[in-house]
Amino acid sequence: MSPNLPLFLLLLGLIGTQATVDLRTAAAMAAGLCKTRPTDIVFIVDSSRSVRPSEFEQVKVFLAKVIEGLDVGPNATRVGVVNYASRVKNEVSLKTHRTKAGLIKAVTKIEPLSTGTMTGLAIQFALNVAFSEGEGARVKSPDISKVAIIVTDGRPQDNVKEIAQRARDAGIEIFAIGVGRVDMSTLKQMASDTLDEHVDYVESYSVIEKLTKKFQEAFCVSDLCATGDHDCEQVCISSPGSYKCACKDGFTLMDDGRSCSACSNSATDVVFLIDGSKSVRPENFELVKKWINQIIDKLDVSESKAHVGLVQYSSLVRQEFPLGRFNNKKDLKDAVKKMAYMERGTMTGQALRYLSDSSFSPSQGARPGVTKVGIVFTDGRSQDYIGDAAKKAKEHGFKMYAVGVGNAVEDELKEIASEPTGEHYFYTADFKTMTQIAKKLQINICQEEDPCECDSLVKFQKKVEDALQALTKKLESMSKRIALLENKIV
């Protein structure tokens, strides 16, 4: 290993994050994985008498090469060219050329004006005319950048400081390129911050092409999905300079925004069946409402995903609101907060029959073919028989959760809960600890493994193994025959 390698690695580490970003950008450009963000770009080109015709040709080559690296199009990058000397000429409007080839051809035809150097006048023209909507500029928006690239080789004969400031205040990012005997202080007055990034100098027009790569990279937005510079588990969707993750059909994007789960709370009808008997007491009933809203916070409530209904019971059963009435969390939670406490007895069996017969019916907002989840809360022993109603709910295919507090009877909770019982019933002695149950209660519906598919896989593996064993025996038999033949020949 070279003795200078450790020093090189140390220096590379000291270069820091910006160097890493630059390397990624360069790699993305080399691999063709780079696009330009939607931008309105206007080149402001000095063609005063100090710029010789041959030098002006080199400026046009520079413009053409920068344009070559852009995504030119009505919805991508639009390019305009302003030519100036003592007067200003709008050579190419932002609206004129919608293809890269047409734009480059127009640039090659520009002729120098060969008079004075009125740079301030040119910036004023760009601000008032070239960047106007009438000339094809788009309405000011955070999604659309506006950029002016000024190329000049001399000292302006007018003031540039104030007009450049007005242009920058209007949202135009200004790059200033100076050539030869240019006045550097003027470049700094024109350019945007930071000056290190927005002011460039070359000794002569013959080497202006070396700035091509700098400007191509300046407008390059890497396709992070294509470069693999993302952490999406399944699907990566590109956006300018960024990305977002998605999942394949049958999977749901998790809260971390990158991983996917085969479990989904989408297209789920959830009904809360809440004990409002007098034993609960008003202050605890408020805690129960907060607990309901804790669980709602974990659901993906929308028109196409989770719908929630609420039923309260005591000696009677009262529907607070049916499934699908509220399709956003705010309205849903507000409705829960408004629920009035019923008091009186504890007729849990009657409430379960209402759940089976009414709450999950299409007339009450239930959707056909959608998973049905019932969450039953109680704080005491039921005053009626629950066995038949609990059994009926589960026979209908409802996924039933039972939550008990205080004097609730655990045997009744287990009778209500779906299998496996340990995952579907919860008990706590104190209303104040109900928040822990909300954290544990997972309503996500997972695709259960098809035992038939597993059996088929096992059978297939067994067939393959048997076939391999039979083939092995045949090969061994053939090997013995070949050995015998060899012996006879010898």
Side-chain angles (χ1 to χ4, degrees):
M1 183 173 71
S2 169
N4 293 325
L5 185 57
L7 177 61
F8 168 75
L9 292 173
L10 176 62
L11 289 171
L12 187 61
L14 291 174
I15 289 171
T17 306
Q18 186 57 50
T20 304
V21 172
D22 292 342
L23 286 170
R24 283 177 182 169
T25 301
M29 289 184 67
L33 302 173
C34 164
K35 293 186 176 181
T36 53
R37 64 177 68 87
T39 309
D40 290 342
I41 299 176
V42 173
F43 291 94
I44 304 173
V45 182
D46 178 358
S47 68
S48 58
R49 64 175 65 94
S50 61
V51 183
R52 298 181 186 129
S54 60
E55 293 174 330
F56 194 70
E57 290 301 313
Q58 290 167 332
V59 173
K60 292 194 289 184
V61 170
F62 165 68
L63 298 189
K65 287 194 173 181
V66 173
I67 291 167
E68 191 61 47
L70 303 175
D71 289 329
V72 175
N75 299 317
T77 298
R78 300 181 185 181
V79 178
V81 181
V82 171
N83 183 12
Y84 79 95
S86 295
R87 63 188 179 91
V88 180
K89 184 179 180 184
N90 199 25
E91 300 282 2
V92 179
S93 293
L94 290 168
K95 66 181 179 181
T96 307
H97 296 284
R98 300 302 176 92
T99 65
K100 195 178 297 186
L103 184 58
I104 292 173
K105 186 176 180 180
V107 167
T108 63
K109 294 180 179 179
I110 299 173
E111 296 293 332
L113 300 173
S114 300
T115 51
T117 311
M118 302 293 284
T119 309
L121 182 66
I123 298 172
Q124 180 77 60
F125 180 89
L127 177 60
N128 295 342
V129 180
F131 280 109
S132 69
E133 290 181 43
E135 290 298 312
R138 285 165 282 193
V139 177
K140 187 177 180 181
S141 161
D143 299 325
I144 308 292
S145 302
K146 297 193 181 297
V147 175
I149 301 174
I150 302 171
V151 182
T152 181
D153 78 332
R155 183 187 296 273
Q157 296 170 340
D158 57 356
N159 186 281
V160 299
K161 186 175 181 180
E162 292 181 4
I163 185 59
Q165 183 62 55
R166 287 204 294 274
R168 295 194 298 268
D169 291 343
I172 299 171
E173 183 181 9
I174 301 178
F175 290 87
I177 300 173
V179 184
R181 300 177 63 181
V182 72
D183 178 52
M184 292 301 295
S185 64
T186 302
L187 295 181
K188 293 176 182 177
Q189 288 174 7
M190 294 188 293
S192 298
D193 288 332
T194 57
L195 294 179
D196 286 347
E197 294 179 10
H198 291 84
V199 175
D200 288 282
Y201 172 79
V202 290
E203 302 81 13
S204 67
Y205 284 105
S206 63
V207 292
I208 194 171
E209 281 186 53
K210 74 179 185 180
L211 295 177
T212 301
K213 185 178 178 183
K214 178 249 174 94
F215 283 97
Q216 286 178 337
E217 290 182 2
F219 302 119
C220 169
V221 179
S222 297
D223 185 338
L224 299 178
C225 292
T227 59
D229 197 13
H230 64 86
D231 56 359
C232 297
E233 183 179 324
Q234 290 188 358
V235 180
C236 179
I237 301 171
S238 289
S239 58
S242 186
Y243 66 91
K244 62 180 180 180
C245 300
C247 298
K248 298 174 183 176
D249 290 344
F251 291 81
T252 299
L253 189 68
M254 303 299 285
D255 290 340
D256 60 11
R258 61 180 181 79
S259 56
C260 299
S261 172
C263 301
S264 172
N265 56 24
S266 61
T268 307
D269 288 344
V270 180
V271 174
F272 289 89
L273 195 61
I274 302 301
D275 181 354
S277 60
K278 60 187 174 186
S279 59
V280 174
R281 296 190 299 195
E283 65 273 19
N284 289 332
F285 194 70
E286 293 303 312
L287 294 175
V288 173
K289 290 194 282 186
K290 288 182 180 179
W291 172 78
I292 295 170
N293 281 342
Q294 255 189 297
I295 297 173
I296 288 172
D297 274 330
K298 296 166 65 177
L299 299 173
D300 191 358
V301 178
S302 71
E303 179 70 35
S304 61
K305 296 185 180 179
H307 286 192
V308 177
L310 178 60
V311 174
Q312 184 184 174
Y313 73 94
S314 58
S315 298
L316 302 173
V317 180
R318 182 174 75 202
Q319 179 175 261
E320 302 292 343
F321 52 81
L323 289 161
R325 175 173 292 177
F326 306 106
N327 289 319
N328 65 77
K329 289 184 183 180
K330 183 183 182 302
D331 292 345
L332 193 55
K333 291 167 72 174
D334 286 345
V336 171
K337 290 175 185 176
K338 292 175 183 176
M339 177 171 57
Y341 178 35
M342 289 177 73
E343 299 190 46
R344 296 195 288 181
T346 311
M347 302 293 283
T348 310
Q350 180 178 281
L352 286 168
R353 283 192 294 277
Y354 181 89
L355 183 81
S356 293
D357 298 340
S358 182
S359 295
F360 285 125
S361 66
S363 64
Q364 295 301 314
R367 293 166 291 178
V370 169
T371 302
K372 309 291 190 292
V373 176
I375 302 176
V376 182
F377 164 81
T378 182
D379 84 324
R381 182 185 294 275
S382 177
Q383 294 173 341
D384 61 351
Y385 180 63
I386 69 166
D388 291 342
K391 183 180 178 182
K392 184 178 180 182
K394 287 181 282 190
E395 285 176 347
H396 282 337
F398 307 155
K399 186 179 283 287
M400 299 296 295
Y401 292 87
V403 179
V405 179
N407 294 320
V409 179
E410 289 196 57
D411 285 345
E412 287 187 355
L413 299 177
K414 292 176 182 178
E415 195 168 5
I416 294 168
S418 294
E419 295 289 342
T421 309
E423 295 178 10
H424 293 86
Y425 100 93
F426 303 87
Y427 173 81
T428 180
D430 191 346
F431 279 89
K432 293 178 181 177
T433 59
M434 288 182 68
T435 55
Q436 299 304 314
I437 291 177
K439 291 176 183 176
K440 293 177 184 176
L441 197 153
Q442 297 293 331
I443 300 178
N444 288 4
I445 309 304
C446 296
Q447 296 176 349
E448 295 181 1
E449 189 178 77
D450 186 348
C452 297
E453 289 182 359
C454 289
D455 289 343
S456 298
L457 183 60
V458 170
K459 289 174 182 176
F460 175 75
Q461 289 175 330
K462 185 71 168 62
K463 285 182 178 180
V464 171
E465 288 171 358
D466 291 342
L468 286 172
Q469 287 177 0
L471 183 60
T472 301
K473 288 179 180 178
K474 286 182 179 180
L475 288 172
E476 288 174 351
S477 176
M478 288 177 66
S479 297
K480 289 177 181 178
R481 289 180 183 178
I482 290 169
L484 289 170
L485 287 170
E486 286 176 343
N487 289 334
K488 287 180 180 179
I489 292 169
V490 173

